[in-house]
Amino acid sequence: METLETLLQPLRIGDRVPRFVARSTQGAFDLDDYRGRWLILFSHPADFTPVCTSEVLALARAVPEFAALDCRLVGLSVDSLYSHLAWIRLIRDTTGVAIEFPIIEDPTMEIARGFGMVGADARDSATVRMTYFIDPEGVLQALNSYPLTVGRSIPEMLRLLAALQEVRDGGGLAPADWQPGDDLLRAPEDTAAAALATSDPAAWFYAPLGKGD
């Protein structure tokens, strides 16, 4: 089984995400307990920061939308568990929003280093702003990174999640700006016969997926 200790390079799309255990605001966290459903793991460089607080609030409000796509949310911040608890208490008391997904502590940046969010010799956590889309088998299907100054788009996270689920069986490709209910694109043909078979010179590589396909 892949673990953080055996991971030798940053995670890439198609990699199996290594198991790890840690403390979280919802008790002991074991990544293996989250297999079988989609999971979005999102990380923050610190608690009590403006952009991170806005994201945690927005994600907490969107939990039902992610649950409707059979996806759970898990946060990670390099601060300690007690800092996390104070942070979510402050959020609840000032906004009325309860943070019901776990937020993992990573004060030594061991998880951040294992996932490749920071380099082995990093002195700070500025680059720990990553989002990992993990499928039910524990395979990384997409990842995004963000600067300290710009927050994530929750609608885009939902759109990407829905698109990943829609194309997962290999039945089509999601085009630019795809939204649930839109047509997919047909996977391109890979023979000369297919490229020469139609009157439309682009149809072999760029065509909508028909309902009967």
Side-chain angles (χ1 to χ4, degrees):
M1 176 185 295
E2 185 89 273
T3 65
L4 290 179
E5 290 74 20
T6 61
L7 191 66
L8 299 179
Q9 59 186 9
L11 284 172
R12 295 181 173 89
I13 292 173
D15 288 348
R16 184 171 179 82
V17 178
R19 176 190 181 228
F20 67 89
V21 294
R23 297 197 305 174
S24 84
T25 55
Q26 298 290 324
F29 176 89
D30 186 333
L31 188 61
D32 274 1
D33 293 338
Y34 283 72
R35 306 301 190 200
R37 294 175 62 186
W38 285 82
L39 171 67
I40 294 177
L41 173 66
F42 59 95
S43 60
H44 293 295
D47 300 341
F48 299 101
T49 55
V51 174
C52 297
T53 300
S54 72
E55 290 179 333
V56 167
L57 271 167
L59 286 164
R61 291 174 173 133
V63 162
E65 294 175 80
F66 286 99
L69 293 171
D70 198 31
C71 179
R72 290 183 284 187
L73 300 172
V74 175
L76 178 145
S77 171
V78 303
D79 285 331
S80 72
L81 175 61
Y82 297 104
S83 176
H84 293 354
L85 294 172
W87 188 33
I88 66 172
R89 168 67 188 268
L90 180 67
I91 290 172
R92 189 204 65 182
D93 289 354
T94 57
T95 69
V97 176
I99 309 303
E100 296 179 346
F101 47 75
I103 301 178
I104 297 163
E105 71 167 357
D106 189 23
T108 64
M109 295 197 291
E110 177 183 1
I111 300 169
R113 289 192 176 92
F115 273 59
M117 301 178 204
V118 296
D121 58 350
R123 294 174 178 268
D124 63 57
S125 59
T127 59
V128 183
R129 297 273 334 274
M130 300 290 295
T131 307
Y132 299 88
F133 293 76
I134 304 168
D135 74 15
E137 281 69 56
V139 176
L140 182 63
Q141 295 297 335
L143 71 163
N144 293 317
S145 59
Y146 302 83
L148 289 171
T149 52
V150 179
R152 297 168 173 93
S153 166
I154 308 313
E156 172 56 18
M157 291 173 66
L158 287 162
R159 188 197 76 88
L160 177 54
L161 174 63
L164 291 169
Q165 294 177 347
E166 191 74 14
V167 304
R168 187 164 179 252
D169 63 0
L173 309 171
D177 297 324
W178 180 90
Q179 296 291 335
D182 290 352
D183 289 337
L184 296 174
L185 295 175
R186 182 185 295 114
E189 302 282 355
D190 57 4
T191 65
L196 299 171
T198 67
S199 58
D200 182 350
W204 66 275
F205 75 92
Y206 187 70
L209 183 67
K211 299 301 182 184
D213 291 340

